[in-house]
Amino acid sequence: MIKLTIDGKEIELEEQVTVLEAARRAGIKIPTLCYFEGLKPFGGCRLCLVEVEKLPRLQTACTLMAADGMVVKTETEKIKAARRAILEFLLINHPLDCPVCDKAGECELQDLVARYGPDAGRFTEGKRHHPESFDDPIIVRNMERCVLCTRCIRMCEDLQGAYAITVTGRGSHSFVEPFSGGRYNCEYCGNCLTVCPVGAIMSRLHRHSYRPWFVEKEVETVCGYCGVGCSMVMQMREGKIIRTIPRMGLGLNNGLLCVRGRFGYDYLQSEQRLRSPLIRRDGELHEVSWSEALDYVASRLKEIKEKHGPQAIGAIGSGRCTNEDNYMLQRLMRFTIGTNNIDSSARLYYAPALLMLEGILGQGITANLIPGIKNADGVVVLGGDPTQINPILGLQIRAASRDGAKVITLGRAKGLERFAHIMLPGAPSNVDVVLGMIIQELREGVELKGENKWLQEQLSKVKVTEPIEGIPLDETIGALREMKNAVLVLGPEVLQSDNSDRTLLLVAALVYLLDARVFLLSERPNYQGAMDMGVLPDMLPGGRPLEMFKQKAEEALGREVPADRGLNLFEMIDAASEGRLKALYVMGENPVFNMPDKDRITEALKKLEFLVVQDIFLTETALMADVVLPARAWSERTGTYTNLERRIQFIRSGTDSADGMEDWRILEEISARLGEEKRFAILDEVWEEVVHVSPLHSGLGYDDIKDGKAIWPYKGEPLRGVEETYEIQGLDNIRPIKSGQVLQLDRPLYHSGSISRHSKALRSIEDEAFIVISTKKAEGLGLADGDIVKLITDRGSLQARIKIDSTVDEDNIYISNTFTEANFGSLSGYEAGRLGSLSLDKNPVKLEKV
Amino acid sequence: MDEIKEILKKYPDRRGALLPTLYVAQKAYGWLSQEALEEAAKALNLPPATVKGVATFYAMYKHKPMGRHLIQLCTNVACMIMGAERLVDLLKERYGLEPGGTTEDGRFSLVIMECIGACDRAPAMLVDTDFHADLNENNIFEILEKYE
């Protein structure tokens, strides 16, 4: 117990903290400039000077540890004089351009000078001059205003881990700059903007159009880009977002955001947003009224159901829509129309991976807390770069590495290059061989607890008949054996082949051997929620298998549940092309663009009698639709998302939308027109039914969710244990696959599917698709970064610039699926692999120098 | 690269080896261009921004292209009294060499130094790494003519 006195107040401390922190706890605010919660103390600005009895000089409270018996004074004449002098020094060079500075009103220097003075400077020489830099599309740099607190640099290095900026020069010619001196070319997280106390680093997106007092409304919400679900504050004026910012202490991201969350909001105000419902007449889409569109959808669905039966109708839900939307979609399909033909693009990877992991290891196995990753002493990453797919989760791995955790990567992980201890080659093509080699060694000498007999049996069968070269096996096994508190992060890239069921079993075995917490990367904010709401052909709301729980669901709802398992995403496409599926209802998804094999999907959808698309843009799929219904975007509606750690979070509306309707409400209107009683006037009523039907969400109200209490297991209910077994082929004969060059899907940091292409800000950072290749491949072809190459598959070819990634395995060539001009989908084919996810095995590709 | 490997052996971490590595890069590239800094960063596996921050802090690195030979002439008090400023003028007359500048033929660059610790033999200068003192209007050119 430490007892000290600050400004006459006696303070008792349980643990060692700084004087600054002790004072804050006692409600005494000591002024600071270079201090920022969460960053390492720097003691550079000297504003937090305090008087401590028996110490000869003034001390910086941010670096001085509180000690027993200390008597501290924080506001004396001596201290005030010192602060005044420091501020006078800072103002020697800091321009007094507050009227044109965007920071005015929330500038820490301005506030400090207002409080401590001086009212006039004594320095008569001129101020230093350094031109404002507009070299960067997003961040404007005014180094005349910089006070060298280094908060941005400490943020960039110690929390973000990007090491993009530094102090260049020295003395009064010190400036904070990126390496290039111009463009940042960094991860563009913008976290430096959060910490800059003055107007030195500012966003260009709201330049000269933002002042703190312009903000009419602030709303706390959750980001709609990826499966992490970062909390953020939308600041609005006249119904539009001026900016989105993170807030310390808010949400799992605690003050950090990534590029998409911070700068990617301008798609909401895109000119291309859908303004009106559209109906196809004589081959063209025409604007119609809502009532006409809704009546038409209902009458066509009714007609098709009567003519071809309910099994001729299917629906695709969305990882971007809320739980409520997805619940209503499956409700419409299951109870009103009477089919289980419902799925989402989670089928491409997330859903089958999660279901099999849960089948082997138990329901909720991936429900682990993201902020807990940093406490791990070992992290195994495989199947994609978390710092690109789920950036804020990636930062946790960097934090763990900084705290001494051993990080082992298998496969592409450029963002962890500086943080990984062992980067294993071989993935994705030969991931099974590497995992098999690891498991063969690791299982020796490990006493298995017999918790999972089936998995242990499988584990003992693992045999690599032909190992691959270049794996530092001893070192890897040594590192794995030392892990007492391990984390395993699994991404999509290793689960996109025909053998992915075997890969997943090997991953599950590794999780079991390491007793690791497992995280499944998710590209969309609500894949997990869509699944939990029953947007699956064989699962009812609450993650309940159809065959086992049909009766229970019928009892709960008083409705009949169709007995047969429905068609999944791939099967619906096949059924459409074979003419078995006549109508498809697509909500918030763009299969024509987002699925590989554009031609195959387009051909299949063309054969449909009726296609409805509910979206915010006229997507490639919407262009083919018979009816297009404009939905509300992420910031224009309320509802809940379930993130990849199964945290249910509330998203709130803030901006205006005159034209769109919430997805769930559109579905309610259509259900009513199909003879359902109108039940849901407000969103809360939808959730009430979810809670009633789904045992997973039982007793979970919106109040709990808003309070941040909706963390797995909700209300502490234990759920299904392990009950599944799988037929896994070739466990005892794992050999390398000679696949040749394979085309893979790139998941870039700056973009997210086809939504981000409507964000001017994100496009200003990256406005083209890159062909990402390995260093070896680039050397072999004599290529340098930025060279243009031709990419050829049996479906066609395209030209794009290359990006060399030293962590890419030699025979893999990546391209993203964002841009219309050059994308993955138009060049790639697919199969449904044995896991049920996307298999890209048969995608041979050639590269030619142009 | 071999040279850098040797340097790395002497330091407990990569960051420690940065200053000597920058000298190696400077020697190879003539000055610390962006390319030279990037190479140094790559050789040590340090972030390029960090390397730049360190490099720009120190005066002994060249941040723009320099002549083949670098003249570092002292004009502090002792040297000034002993006529160093006259020598600066003469260098300008003879070679067209301004302080901070480089001759047109790329032979010499001139940097005005703070005290180089040779006040007893002022005025004094360094040419590359060679020390020359007791300079006057005549012998300075005798000395410089030896540097091609």
Side-chain angles (χ1 to χ4, degrees):
Chain A
M1 179 79 76
I2 301 164
K3 280 188 196 167
L4 77 164
T5 314
I6 302 180
D7 290 347
K9 238 185 192 176
E10 285 209 6
I11 299 163
E12 291 186 3
L13 297 167
E14 295 291 336
E15 80 242 274
Q16 273 260 303
V17 293
T18 61
V19 171
L20 181 71
E21 177 57 29
R24 289 215 166 158
R25 286 187 193 177
I28 299 164
K29 215 173 163 207
I30 299 174
T32 53
L33 194 56
C34 71
Y35 169 82
F36 194 87
E37 197 189 329
L39 298 178
K40 280 184 204 150
F42 176 58
C45 76
R46 322 303 288 175
L47 277 159
C48 65
L49 289 174
V50 291
E51 261 187 82
V52 183
E53 268 182 21
K54 292 177 188 152
L55 283 176
R57 284 177 299 275
L58 296 179
Q59 302 288 322
T60 47
C62 71
T63 54
L64 182 69
M65 295 310 280
D68 203 33
M70 251 182 191
V71 181
V72 181
K73 287 191 188 121
T74 70
E75 290 280 350
T76 64
E77 282 313 310
K78 193 174 165 193
I79 294 168
K80 278 184 189 161
R83 287 182 186 149
R84 194 159 50 239
I86 293 157
L87 290 166
E88 190 180 350
F89 273 120
L90 285 176
L91 291 181
I92 285 175
N93 273 322
H94 188 89
L96 298 177
D97 60 353
C98 309
V100 295
C101 176
D102 280 356
K103 199 73 176 191
E106 56 179 7
C107 171
E108 292 177 35
L109 183 63
Q110 201 178 39
D111 294 348
L112 285 165
V113 174
R115 184 161 162 203
Y116 291 101
D119 50 11
R122 288 167 287 175
F123 194 73
T124 52
E125 284 82 354
K127 292 177 188 279
R128 68 174 177 180
H129 287 289
H130 196 68
E132 205 164 12
S133 166
F134 292 98
D135 295 323
D136 195 84
I138 294 281
I139 300 168
V140 55
R141 210 163 55 236
N142 184 324
M143 281 302 128
E144 290 177 4
R145 294 183 190 142
C146 177
V147 292
L148 287 174
C149 66
T150 71
R151 279 174 17 176
C152 53
I153 295 169
R154 283 177 284 149
M155 170 58 83
C156 189
E157 294 186 353
D158 300 341
L159 288 188
Q160 181 67 22
Y163 298 93
I165 50 176
T166 186
V167 179
T168 61
R170 64 170 150 174
S172 64
H173 295 285
S174 304
F175 304 110
V176 176
E177 282 183 350
F179 177 71
S180 76
R183 254 186 95 114
Y184 278 79
N185 301 324
C186 62
E187 296 178 350
Y188 287 99
C189 63
N191 289 326
C192 51
L193 302 175
T194 305
V195 295
C196 182
V198 293
I201 308 178
M202 300 291 286
S203 166
R204 286 183 80 168
L205 304 186
H206 49 72
R207 185 170 167 80
H208 295 328
S209 63
Y210 167 85
R211 288 289 182 275
W213 55 87
F214 282 1
V215 176
E216 287 169 349
K217 196 163 85 170
E218 275 195 353
V219 171
E220 281 180 14
T221 192
V222 171
C223 180
Y225 268 107
C226 84
V228 172
C230 293
S231 294
M232 53 161 70
V233 178
M234 290 192 278
Q235 295 185 322
M236 281 151 299
R237 180 180 175 82
E238 292 172 354
K240 288 180 184 156
I241 294 180
I242 326 184
R243 64 174 185 180
T244 53
I245 52 169
R247 195 160 274 171
M248 295 302 294
L250 182 67
L252 62 95
N253 50 317
N254 192 21
L256 300 172
L257 279 182
C258 78
V259 57
R260 302 190 288 250
R262 189 184 295 267
F263 299 120
Y265 54 83
D266 59 342
Y267 74 90
L268 297 161
Q269 275 133 39
S270 163
E271 299 277 304
Q272 287 158 26
R273 284 286 303 276
L274 279 170
R275 302 278 167 224
S276 159
L278 307 169
I279 289 184
R280 187 172 301 278
R281 282 195 195 111
D282 310 322
E284 302 270 319
L285 287 167
H286 293 278
E287 293 193 1
V288 294
S289 70
W290 269 105
S291 60
E292 190 184 344
L294 294 168
D295 286 347
Y296 183 65
V297 172
S299 70
R300 290 298 310 272
L301 289 176
K302 204 168 166 186
E303 185 192 316
I304 290 169
K305 183 181 162 182
E306 278 163 12
K307 213 162 113 191
H308 304 286
Q311 302 312 332
I313 302 175
I316 298 176
S318 172
R320 287 211 195 279
C321 291
T322 61
N323 287 327
E324 293 79 358
D325 301 333
N326 281 298
Y327 178 76
M328 287 297 284
L329 183 67
Q330 71 86 35
R331 189 179 198 279
L332 171 72
M333 297 313 289
R334 286 209 164 97
F335 309 139
T336 311
I337 291 175
T339 175
N340 283 312
N341 293 341
I342 183 165
D343 206 0
S344 70
S345 62
R347 178 67 43 197
L348 302 182
Y349 137 80
Y350 190 85
L354 181 84
L355 293 173
M356 187 170 161
L357 266 180
E358 291 196 333
I360 300 173
L361 297 163
Q363 193 178 20
I365 186 71
T366 61
N368 300 299
L369 298 180
I370 292 171
I373 296 176
K374 65 172 177 290
N375 304 325
D377 65 357
V379 185
V380 180
V381 179
L382 70 164
D385 186 347
T387 67
Q388 295 203 10
I389 299 171
N390 293 125
I392 296 298
L393 186 150
L395 295 193
Q396 295 291 328
I397 302 172
R398 289 178 176 175
S401 163
R402 221 178 263 119
D403 285 349
K406 280 269 189 300
V407 176
I408 302 175
T409 64
L410 179 46
R412 199 178 162 195
K414 183 77 181 162
L416 293 173
E417 210 176 9
R418 221 168 265 298
F419 300 88
H421 300 83
I422 305 172
M423 297 191 98
L424 299 171
S429 328
N430 291 317
V431 63
D432 287 10
V433 181
V434 183
L435 285 173
M437 287 164 70
I438 289 172
I439 285 165
Q440 283 185 136
E441 291 285 328
L442 200 62
R443 71 183 168 202
E444 300 305 319
V446 174
E447 205 174 307
L448 292 169
K449 291 159 288 184
E451 281 171 353
N452 193 327
K453 288 217 167 65
W454 180 80
L455 184 58
Q456 279 182 205
E457 267 167 40
Q458 303 297 313
L459 229 160
S460 59
K461 282 189 212 161
V462 172
K463 192 173 175 204
V464 177
T465 45
E466 201 182 310
I468 59 173
E469 304 273 300
I471 306 287
L473 202 56
D474 291 346
E475 196 190 343
T476 308
I477 298 295
L480 289 171
R481 285 226 164 101
E482 271 173 33
M483 293 181 187
K484 298 273 170 286
N485 177 9
V487 158
L488 186 141
V489 178
L490 178 61
E493 282 174 19
V494 291
L495 296 176
Q496 309 219 301
S497 90
D498 198 33
N499 277 333
S500 292
D501 56 340
R502 189 174 72 181
T503 311
L504 201 73
L505 181 99
L506 294 169
V507 171
L510 188 58
V511 169
Y512 187 68
L513 286 172
L514 293 174
D515 200 9
R517 282 171 282 160
V518 58
F519 292 81
L520 200 57
L521 299 181
S522 167
E523 292 162 84
R524 297 281 162 90
N526 204 30
Y527 272 154
Q528 183 64 50
M531 293 175 64
D532 290 346
M533 290 301 120
V535 176
L536 289 168
D538 51 358
M539 293 272 230
L540 295 170
R544 297 177 125 182
L546 178 68
E547 66 267 29
M548 292 163 68
F549 291 93
K550 177 175 173 320
Q551 205 183 342
K552 279 207 167 164
E554 284 173 342
E555 280 163 16
L557 274 173
R559 304 292 297 260
E560 199 186 323
V561 175
D564 296 334
R565 175 193 171 280
L567 302 173
N568 70 25
L569 183 65
F570 304 128
E571 291 161 349
M572 278 192 269
I573 298 296
D574 293 344
S577 58
E578 288 159 19
R580 286 181 283 126
L581 194 75
K582 303 288 183 191
L584 187 63
Y585 198 114
V586 179
M587 174 180 82
E589 186 52 77
N590 181 11
V592 172
F593 193 85
N594 290 344
M595 285 180 72
D597 212 342
K598 232 145 263 187
D599 297 344
R600 178 163 157 194
I601 312 286
T602 310
E603 284 308 310
L605 297 192
K606 265 189 200 159
K607 293 206 174 131
L608 290 169
E609 278 180 27
F610 189 54
L611 175 64
V612 189
V613 173
Q614 208 167 288
D615 209 304
I616 61 168
F617 289 107
L618 196 62
T619 61
E620 285 83 354
T621 312
L623 278 169
M624 297 183 64
D626 296 287
V627 183
V628 182
L629 302 168
R632 289 208 179 175
W634 158 76
S635 66
E636 295 158 3
R637 38 92 48 85
T638 50
T640 56
Y641 277 159
T642 307
N643 76 352
L644 66 89
E645 50 174 355
R646 292 201 171 201
R647 189 190 298 247
I648 305 176
Q649 303 193 96
F650 211 76
I651 62 161
R652 292 178 177 82
S653 72
T655 56
D656 301 337
S657 164
D659 320 295
M661 204 190 282
E662 293 105 317
D663 292 280
W664 67 268
R665 202 181 287 280
I666 299 174
L667 295 160
E668 161 75 351
E669 290 290 332
I670 290 170
S671 303
R673 282 165 171 77
L674 285 168
E676 293 271 338
E677 167 196 358
K678 273 218 172 192
R679 295 181 66 117
F680 309 107
I682 55 169
L683 188 74
D684 304 52
E685 292 167 348
V686 180
W687 187 253
E688 272 168 30
E689 188 171 302
V690 170
V691 172
H692 179 64
V693 176
S694 158
L696 210 67
H697 303 89
S698 184
L700 193 68
Y702 274 164
D703 288 341
D704 299 322
I705 297 174
K706 286 174 187 166
D707 289 348
K709 286 182 196 147
I711 292 173
W712 180 279
Y714 316 124
K715 300 284 177 185
E717 290 285 322
L719 286 142
R720 279 184 296 118
V722 181
E723 55 206 21
E724 310 275 337
T725 54
Y726 299 83
E727 280 290 318
I728 310 289
Q729 293 172 19
L731 263 186
D732 53 356
N733 183 15
I734 304 177
R735 281 178 307 177
I737 302 161
K738 302 273 182 294
S739 50
Q741 292 187 136
V742 180
L743 187 62
Q744 301 277 359
L745 174 59
D746 182 28
R747 295 164 173 88
L749 172 62
Y750 309 118
H751 285 286
S752 175
S754 51
I755 265 202
S756 64
R757 71 162 96 127
H758 296 283
S759 162
K760 285 182 193 151
L762 295 179
R763 292 194 77 139
S764 74
I765 297 171
E766 195 168 275
D767 202 19
E768 63 188 288
F770 285 94
I771 296 170
V772 184
I773 60 173
S774 64
T775 315
K776 219 169 171 183
K777 181 82 39 195
E779 280 167 5
L781 290 166
L783 292 166
D785 254 330
D787 286 353
I788 294 177
V789 293
K790 191 173 182 185
L791 188 69
I792 309 157
T793 69
D794 48 12
R795 272 149 232 274
S797 70
L798 61 83
Q799 291 195 0
R801 292 201 288 152
I802 62 155
K803 219 182 231 178
I804 300 169
D805 184 335
S806 50
T807 65
V808 164
D809 209 52
E810 194 186 350
D811 279 331
N812 293 281
I813 290 158
Y814 290 80
I815 187 162
S816 72
N817 206 39
T818 292
F819 298 100
T820 332
E821 313 79 50
N823 55 65
F824 174 78
S826 55
L827 286 190
S828 169
Y830 75 88
E831 306 285 324
R834 275 206 304 275
L835 175 63
S837 64
L838 202 63
S839 163
L840 302 174
D841 282 345
K842 291 171 191 133
N843 271 311
V845 60
K846 269 198 297 188
L847 266 190
E848 264 175 27
K849 216 170 156 177
V850 176
Chain B
M1 202 57 224
D2 290 339
E3 208 171 331
I4 293 168
K5 272 184 199 144
E6 281 305 305
I7 293 168
L8 270 169
K9 280 185 200 156
K10 294 185 211 158
Y11 294 88
D13 60 12
R14 301 191 306 265
R15 224 184 146 94
L18 181 53
L19 291 183
T21 301
L22 284 171
Y23 275 122
V24 175
Q26 178 166 282
K27 210 162 74 190
Y29 286 84
W31 61 291
L32 289 181
S33 59
Q34 288 285 103
E35 199 190 346
L37 293 173
E38 256 176 323
E39 285 302 314
K42 220 183 273 173
L44 295 180
N45 192 19
L46 286 173
T50 308
V51 171
K52 187 170 188 177
V54 171
T56 55
F57 181 86
Y58 291 103
M60 70 265 196
Y61 296 117
K62 301 171 186 171
H63 295 289
K64 53 186 179 184
M66 292 266 179
R68 290 191 296 282
H69 302 291
L70 176 65
I71 306 169
Q72 304 185 72
L73 183 66
C74 173
T75 58
N76 270 183
V77 180
C79 290
M80 183 188 74
I81 292 168
M82 298 302 287
E85 288 185 337
R86 172 76 189 130
L87 298 178
V88 174
D89 293 341
L90 283 173
L91 286 173
K92 192 178 172 188
E93 275 168 34
R94 176 98 173 239
Y95 300 117
L97 188 56
E98 299 265 9
T102 302
T103 55
E104 268 176 33
D105 59 3
R107 185 173 170 198
F108 294 118
S109 289
L110 174 64
V111 170
I112 303 298
M113 281 296 276
E114 304 305 320
C115 184
I116 53 176
C119 307
D120 57 328
R121 298 174 62 197
M125 69 172 177
L126 286 166
V127 180
D128 298 335
T129 50
D130 308 334
F131 173 71
H132 302 281
D134 298 319
L135 301 175
N136 58 44
E137 295 176 17
N138 302 319
N139 67 5
I140 184 166
F141 293 111
E142 275 171 34
I143 294 164
L144 288 177
E145 283 307 311
K146 287 178 203 147
Y147 294 89
E148 266 312 312

